Amino acid sequence: MPNGVHHIPLELPWSTPGNVNVYLLEENDGYVMIDCGVDGSEYLKLLEMHLNQLGITFNDIKLLVGTHMHIDHIGLSQRLREFDIPFALYKNSIDYLDEYNDWSIRFKDLIRMAKNEYTPVSFIDDLKSISTPLYAGRLEKPDILLSEGRVKSIKRNLNVVFTPGHDYSEISLYDEKTKIVFSGDHILPRITPFIPVQNENSNLLKEFLDSLDKVDHLDHEIIAPGHGNIISNPHKRIEQMKLHHQRRSERILGFLKNEDLTGWEISNKLFPRDLDSLNLRLAFQETLAHLHLLKSQRRVEKNNKNGVNKWTLIN
Ligand SMILES: [Zn+2]
């Protein structure tokens, strides 16, 4: 990391991924912190310990910026605000506070979509049983709502780039001085981030791919991701991620060559391994995200018969 930028791989309560990256940017009068980990008094202590090892205390943090509204990145934000640290998120985050705090609201639309894709009752029951994780903390309205462009409350030239896809309110932060892009989970070194579906009309995979192009066009040298190691060949990594999704879309088109299928059937063909309920949900959402992209590209269409969607290839 260049001078004046510190990196803390903060521990998470689970093993994949086992850490979230907290970054600290040095200013004349303190530090800007990017992301903060999950909620919990023990995680507050852990973060404090890591900071102290760098000679930093909570009083030195002048601003906390969250890259996106996932609990491993901003769960601890409310506790940090009790130290008078102002907390900033992208401006559309206020539309999603209720979903963050109450996961029965978060998955309401998905349950409806799942029924239309003829998923098993057990899958719907699993979705209905999801409750807000303990590590989420409670999210109140942020102190600062960010727009694209320069972060106003600090001297440093840190630029907000809106990069939705993995989350609808995700941002990347471009630091002009060091030419680092802090990418949150939008760009990761080894895995491609999971892409969800919001509702029938959402197309987060398209937004994700557009966001990749947006970051690709920045004059950056390295990417500092939300998990894992620094990415020193950003353009190549972006290319790989685009290719990954292109291949996945091609496979779906292949499945539909000979027969019309429901979203659930496509998901099972795309991810044929035995999955636990979490990964089954992620696989299903990712499949729908692809179908929504293909539909917007007029390569597939959705026909609803007796309440069940069948996806058909457009020739
Ligand atoms: Zn994450």
Side-chain angles (χ1 to χ4, degrees):
M1 282 271 136
N3 244 347
V5 181
H6 302 283
H7 166 219
I8 298 171
L10 185 65
E11 293 81 356
L12 290 172
W14 42 77
S15 58
T16 45
N19 302 77
V20 63
N21 291 330
V22 174
Y23 296 100
L24 293 141
L25 311 180
E26 210 170 315
E27 293 266 274
N28 288 337
D29 56 347
Y31 293 84
V32 177
M33 185 189 269
I34 300 172
D35 287 342
C36 58
V38 296
D39 183 52
S41 56
E42 65 274 42
Y43 291 96
L44 184 72
K45 276 205 196 103
L46 257 176
L47 178 62
E48 190 175 29
M49 186 199 82
H50 283 292
L51 289 174
N52 292 347
Q53 282 171 355
L54 297 166
I56 304 171
T57 68
F58 287 139
N59 286 332
D60 299 323
I61 310 296
K62 301 299 165 199
L63 176 69
L64 168 64
V65 184
T67 56
H68 63 295
M69 297 174 80
H70 285 177
I71 65 172
D72 49 336
H73 297 262
I74 62 163
L76 199 63
S77 60
Q78 203 59 30
R79 283 183 203 260
L80 291 173
R81 292 169 85 177
E82 286 164 20
F83 292 89
D84 288 326
I85 300 172
F87 176 49
L89 279 176
Y90 191 65
K91 59 185 176 186
N92 72 351
S93 59
I94 44 167
D95 297 335
Y96 303 110
L97 294 178
D98 291 342
E99 295 195 13
Y100 181 93
N101 289 319
D102 182 350
W103 283 29
S104 66
I105 298 174
R106 192 182 187 119
F107 290 112
K108 214 175 67 197
D109 289 339
L110 185 64
I111 290 171
R112 191 185 59 245
M113 285 187 277
K115 284 177 181 163
N116 287 334
E117 300 298 338
Y118 211 58
T119 57
V121 176
S122 60
F123 183 75
I124 305 278
D125 287 345
D126 281 345
L127 289 180
K128 284 182 180 163
S129 72
I130 298 173
S131 56
T132 314
L134 211 61
Y135 299 109
R138 187 162 177 86
L139 187 63
E140 309 285 339
K141 184 176 179 262
D143 303 294
I144 299 168
L145 293 173
L146 299 167
S147 298
E148 282 208 298
R150 201 175 159 162
V151 178
K152 292 196 181 77
S153 57
I154 52 171
K155 289 193 202 84
R156 195 184 193 95
N157 212 338
L158 189 65
N159 288 281
V160 174
V161 184
F162 183 44
T163 50
H166 169 65
D167 180 37
Y168 8 85
S169 68
E170 181 139 29
I171 54 169
S172 297
L173 292 157
Y174 173 55
D175 185 43
E176 229 159 71
K177 188 172 156 197
T178 57
K179 292 192 189 265
I180 300 175
V181 171
F182 298 92
S183 65
D185 284 358
H186 176 232
I187 299 171
L188 294 170
R190 284 185 302 121
I191 51 161
T192 48
F194 149 75
I195 310 293
V197 272
Q198 198 170 356
N199 56 49
E200 285 84 349
N201 302 315
S202 68
N203 194 351
L204 282 165
L205 183 53
K206 177 172 188 326
E207 292 185 45
F208 176 79
L209 296 170
D210 290 347
S211 298
L212 283 181
D213 284 337
K214 218 167 170 180
V215 173
D216 207 15
H217 290 136
L218 296 171
D219 173 29
H220 57 323
E221 279 162 8
I222 58 171
I223 288 178
H227 304 275
N229 296 328
I230 300 304
I231 300 166
S232 52
N233 51 355
H235 300 290
K236 194 171 155 218
R237 182 64 194 134
I238 289 169
E239 208 45 53
Q240 284 171 346
M241 291 172 83
K242 284 160 87 170
L243 199 63
H244 164 89
H245 283 296
Q246 204 180 317
R247 289 200 179 122
R248 192 162 272 178
S249 277
E250 295 297 338
R251 286 186 63 208
I252 293 178
L253 294 172
F255 300 146
L256 293 172
K257 251 188 193 133
N258 302 316
E259 52 183 341
D260 297 348
L261 297 165
T262 67
W264 178 250
E265 288 166 333
I266 296 168
S267 181
N268 286 327
K269 283 178 180 286
L270 204 53
F271 303 95
R273 283 182 302 163
D274 248 351
L275 301 174
D276 61 17
S277 63
L278 168 66
N279 283 298
L280 211 53
R281 167 169 69 76
L282 299 181
F284 178 66
Q285 285 184 279
E286 175 96 15
T287 303
L288 284 187
H290 271 272
L291 288 168
H292 287 192
L293 174 69
L294 289 168
K295 186 167 169 275
S296 75
Q297 295 169 337
R298 308 199 138 276
R299 297 168 86 183
V300 302
E301 63 184 9
K302 181 174 78 174
N303 295 302
N304 190 290
K305 276 183 205 134
N306 306 321
V308 176
N309 291 334
K310 283 274 185 179
W311 296 84
T312 308
L313 212 58
I314 298 177
N315 289 308

